[in-house]
């Protein structure tokens, strides 16, 4: 929602932005300033403490004293900015005004005290041996620093309450407007209310986007991202589903389709409030079962603790923990989609783990009664054996789930069933619809079960949440597609019913693309190629912000530039998924167009990771080098496509050359940008490069798709010619 995770959403990618000005309370820019000043204040206070404690009983040099004075002045300046922000918040929130004002006064006093105590020009400062010292003032500075931290923390906590209150108020406004939309009976009234609804959703998106970036808990951040993604995609669905209901008021499937959208949006809105308030309605607790990988991790920690404490756990507790883990492997062994070989291997490894635990328990019991070196070594060996066996089980489960997911994504890459479903709707073919709906339901169940298995092997909590989100999306969207197709089949000439089905199908295709990216990230985590922190895959991460004194200038802040780059990087990440989907369609993976296109996609993915502060590219120089190679690969794709165009007929050749001619200039422009020095505007250069790269990837996706279609067409024509030639040859012999 900081940028679109898929094609759905009113106004495209900008429908649910993550930041920007808004019309509620104090604007989100003030919240950004609050964070910026906070990031500036804390390091400066830390510097004061460090400088004061340095060489406690020795004289300070003039250089040190000047450094202390500069830091003290910088703290006072940052406090002044912070207080202005706090006062602006207080003026907009009368119920908290008194508390915030008192905290701001304390902060201001602390800032002035620090500035005064670190001012080397103070005339009454004691001197020793001809040099000015501040030893007698050290206690005063420390007290002032503590007061400053206390008051700043108080203001931030109160501001946090303001943000939570605003999110709840905004959500209530959205819910109230949704209730009006559910009951509307005329197009004119619907258009007016939906316009208001759109504005309220944008406001809600601004608030929740800022909140998501501020969350420190990666699990909560992933949950927030998933809920916001639902709201964004459902906004467009709500529009077309409601219009279809208004056009066909007596159609049961249309009403069912619309109700499904409203229900899902309400659940997502409630989920956001759960996250920001950190509590569930009616005191409920989260009882979701832990994944197999998480269970194995906990079990291994328990048995490894026996090295330090033989009485840390009881045998019964360890056995129960292992049984709980192995019981969950039944999701794999009971699945109709698990191959016989994988099922047998999982069962064997599970039995082996039970046997190893029995052996460990026996040695453990001996170690409790007699502590000899040989027993200790035997215990260590037993721990290592069971750990190794569980690692083998993890590998097998990972292989089973990811292989199933990869095969499924490849099989459904062309969306054949989805296209057939659309066609039966347009034709008004009720019998055909029943058959296609049955096949589509089977595909949906496969994807749902695959997401369930992937969750077990995801490796991190945020990726687990993404798997759960994908599972729910396939389940709900699958049912809604069938109801939308039923409506179109009953009203085959209805343009709005067709548009509605298209919107749901686009959401499905978008989720398939997200699943492909999810699979890649799960593999990366398993193979140790990625860090532990993840968010929703279709959303950008906030950039790391190194605050310094330059951030006090009133110009556009680095954090805003970095947020912009993060959004551009997100779109680039989505395009790599689209390119990979196109590449997987090709039977000949060694085709030059495919090889160079794959190289471009991999490099674009590295650039995407760079915008998130992750991946192999660590410095701006790494980025520039990668972009130079990326531009070269783009020219190679263009050259290979030109060579292929020579085999085509005039119309097809012209169509392909038009796409090629879009790519070549962009490659040259990117090369020019990378070689042009930009003084003190590194972020601006990165911005331009990522923008250009994104444009190249968009054209690459189109080029790969077009080349694939033209190649298929060429092969069909060649096969037809061979068939006709063979027939003529046979006829001649006869």
């Amino acid at each position: 929602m900081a940028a679109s995770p898929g094609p759905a959403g009113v106004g495209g990618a900008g429908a649910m932005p993550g930041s920007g000005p808004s019309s509620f309370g104090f604007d989100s820019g003030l919240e950004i300033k609050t964070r910026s000043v906070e990031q500036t204040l804390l390091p400066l206070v830390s510097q004061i403490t460090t400088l004061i404690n340095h060489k406690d009983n020795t004289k300070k040099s003039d250089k040190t004293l000047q450094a202390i004075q500069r830091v003290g002045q910088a703290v006072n300046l940052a406090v002044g900015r912070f207080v202005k922000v706090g006062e602006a918040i207080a003026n907009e929130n009368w119920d908290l005004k008194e508390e915030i004002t008192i905290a701001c006064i304390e902060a201001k006093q602390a800032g002035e005290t620090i500035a005064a105590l670190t001012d080397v020009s103070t005339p009454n400062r004691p001197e020793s041996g001809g040099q000015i010292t501040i030893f007698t003032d050290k206690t005063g500075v420390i007290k002032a620093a503590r007061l400053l931290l206390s008051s700043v923390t108080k203001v931030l906590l109160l501001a946090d309450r303001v943000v939570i209150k605003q999110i709840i108020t905004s959500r209530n406004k959205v819910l109230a407007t949704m209730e009006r939309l559910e009951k509307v009976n005329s197009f004119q009234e619907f258009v007016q209310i939906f316009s208001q609804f759109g504005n309220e959703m944008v406001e809600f998106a601004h608030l929740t986007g800022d909140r998501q970036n501020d969350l420190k808990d990666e699990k909560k951040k992933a949950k927030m991202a998933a809920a916001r993604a639902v709201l964004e995609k459902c906004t467009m669905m709500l529009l077309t589903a409601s219009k279809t209901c208004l056009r066909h008021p007596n159609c049961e499937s249309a009403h069912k389709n619309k109700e499904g959208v409203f229900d899902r949006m309400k659940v997502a809105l409630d989920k956001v409030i759960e996250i920001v308030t950190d509590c569930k309605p009616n005191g409920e607790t989260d009882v979701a079962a832990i994944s197999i990988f998480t269970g194995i991790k906990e079990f291994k920690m328990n048995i490894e603790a026996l090295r330090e404490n033989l009485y840390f756990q009881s045998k019964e507790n360890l056995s129960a923990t292992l049984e709980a883990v192995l019981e969950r492997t039944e999701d794999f062994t009971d699945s109709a989609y698990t191959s016989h070989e994988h099922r047998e291997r999982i069962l064997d490894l599970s039995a082996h783990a039970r046997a190893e635990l029995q052996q460990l328990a026996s040695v453990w019991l001996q170690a409790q009664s007699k502590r000899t070196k040989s027993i200790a070594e035997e215990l260590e060996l037993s721990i290592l054996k069971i750990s190794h066996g569980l690692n083998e089980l993890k590998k097998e489960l990972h292989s089973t789930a990811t292989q199933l997911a990869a095969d499924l994504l490849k099989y459904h890459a062309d969306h054949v069933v989805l296209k057939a479903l659309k066609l039966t709707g347009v034709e008004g073919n009720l019998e055909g619809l029943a058959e296609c709906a049955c096949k589509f339901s089977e595909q949906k169940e496969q994807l749902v079960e695959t997401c369930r298995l992937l969750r077990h092997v995801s490796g991190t909590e945020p990726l687990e949440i993404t798997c759960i989100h994908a599972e729910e999306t396939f389940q709900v969207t699958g049912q809604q597609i069938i109801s939308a197709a039923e409506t179109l089949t009953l009203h085959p000439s209805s343009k709005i019913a067709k548009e509605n089905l298209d919107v749901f199908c686009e959401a499905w295709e978008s989720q398939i693309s997200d699943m492909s990216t999810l699979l890649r990230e799960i593999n990366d985590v398993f193979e140790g190629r990625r860090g532990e922190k993840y968010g929703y895959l279709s959303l950008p991460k906030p950039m790391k912000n190194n605050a310094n004194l330059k951030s006090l200038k009133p110009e556009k802040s680095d954090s805003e530039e970095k947020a912009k780059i993060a959004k551009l990087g997100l779109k680039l990440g989505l395009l790599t998924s689209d390119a990979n989907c196109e590449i997987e369609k090709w039977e000949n993976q060694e085709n030059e167009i495919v090889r160079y296109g794959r190289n471009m996609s991999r490099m674009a993915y590295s650039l995407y990771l760079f915008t998130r502060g992750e991946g192999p590219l660590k410095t701006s120089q790494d980025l520039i080098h990668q972009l130079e190679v990326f531009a070269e690969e783009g020219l190679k794709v263009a050259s290979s496509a030109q060579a292929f165009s020579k085999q085509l007929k005039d119309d097809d050749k012209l169509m392909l050359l038009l796409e090629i001619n879009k790519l070549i200039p962009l490659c040259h422009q990117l090369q020019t940008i990378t070689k042009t020095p930009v003084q003190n505007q590194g972020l601006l250069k990165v911005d331009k490069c990522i923008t250009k790269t994104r444009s190249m990837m968009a054209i690459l996706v189109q080029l790969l798709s077009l080349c694939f279609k033209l190649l298929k067409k060429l092969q069909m024509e060649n096969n037809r010619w061979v068939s006709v030639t063979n027939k003529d040859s046979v006829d001649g012999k006869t």
Side-chain angles (χ1 to χ4, degrees), residues 402-413:
T402 54
Q403 188 178 318
L404 175 61
D407 291 345
L408 202 56
L409 288 169
K410 190 172 182 179
Y411 183 72
H412 294 301

Side-chain angles (χ1 to χ4, degrees), residues 64-76:
T64 303
L65 290 170
Q66 287 167 9
I68 291 173
Q69 184 180 16
R70 283 198 303 272
V71 173
Q73 290 169 349
V75 167
N76 195 28

Side-chain angles (χ1 to χ4, degrees), residues 405-423 440 443 447 505-506 508-510 512-513 516 577-587 589 704-709 712 715:
D407 291 345
L408 202 56
L409 288 169
K410 190 172 182 179
Y411 183 72
H412 294 301
D414 290 333
H415 304 291
V416 175
V417 180
L418 211 57
K419 290 171 184 174
L421 204 58
K422 286 184 184 180
L423 187 61
F440 183 72
Q443 178 184 335
L447 288 164
C505 289
E506 284 171 13
W508 179 271
E509 290 170 11
S510 171
I512 291 279
S513 176
S516 177
S577 298
D578 294 341
N580 290 337
C581 288
E582 291 298 333
I583 287 167
E584 286 171 6
K585 293 178 184 177
W586 292 66
E587 292 175 10
Q589 290 289 306
L704 286 167
S705 176
L706 181 59
C707 286
F708 177 75
K709 289 173 185 174
K712 286 289 182 185
Q715 288 172 343

Side-chain angles (χ1 to χ4, degrees), residues 103-226:
C104 285
I105 290 169
E106 289 176 356
K108 191 174 180 181
Q109 288 173 346
E112 289 171 352
T113 302
I114 288 170
L117 291 173
T118 55
D119 184 0
V120 293
S121 65
T122 302
N124 62 356
R125 189 173 298 282
E127 297 187 357
S128 174
Q131 277 193 311
I132 299 171
T133 66
I134 61 165
F135 294 134
T136 55
D137 296 326
K138 183 172 73 171
T139 304
V141 174
I142 291 172
K143 283 182 179 178
R146 285 175 178 166
L147 177 62
L148 177 59
L149 286 172
S150 170
S151 53
V152 166
T153 303
K154 198 180 294 181
V155 172
L156 292 172
L157 289 171
L158 291 167
D160 194 58
R161 281 168 57 185
V162 171
V163 173
I164 291 171
K165 186 177 75 172
Q166 288 177 331
I167 291 173
I168 293 170
T169 303
S170 179
R171 173 265 206 162
N172 291 341
K173 283 162 62 180
V174 169
L175 271 178
T177 309
M178 279 177 65
E179 285 180 15
R180 291 173 62 200
L181 280 172
E182 279 187 280
K183 297 171 184 175
V184 75
N185 291 317
S186 72
F187 270 108
Q188 188 176 356
E189 188 184 359
F190 173 79
V191 170
Q192 289 174 347
I193 299 173
F194 191 83
S195 176
Q196 178 189 338
F197 174 74
N199 291 333
E200 289 169 355
M201 285 298 290
V202 169
E203 178 182 306
F204 188 71
H206 280 307
L207 283 165
T208 53
D210 287 336
R211 188 68 181 180
Q212 181 182 320
N213 287 340
D214 286 342
L215 288 170
K216 300 295 186 286
D217 187 323
E218 291 296 318
K219 188 175 179 180
K220 285 184 182 177
K221 190 176 283 191
K223 284 183 177 180
M224 176 72 89

Side-chain angles (χ1 to χ4, degrees), residues 39-54 60 64 67-68 70-72 74-75 114 118 141 145 547-549:
Q39 290 165 347
T40 307
L41 277 170
L42 299 184
L44 290 172
V45 173
S46 174
Q47 285 179 43
I48 291 172
T49 308
T50 304
L51 286 169
I52 290 169
N53 291 333
H54 181 61
K60 303 285 185 183
T64 303
I68 291 173
R70 283 198 303 272
V71 173
V75 167
I114 288 170
T118 55
V141 174
N548 52 39
L549 296 182

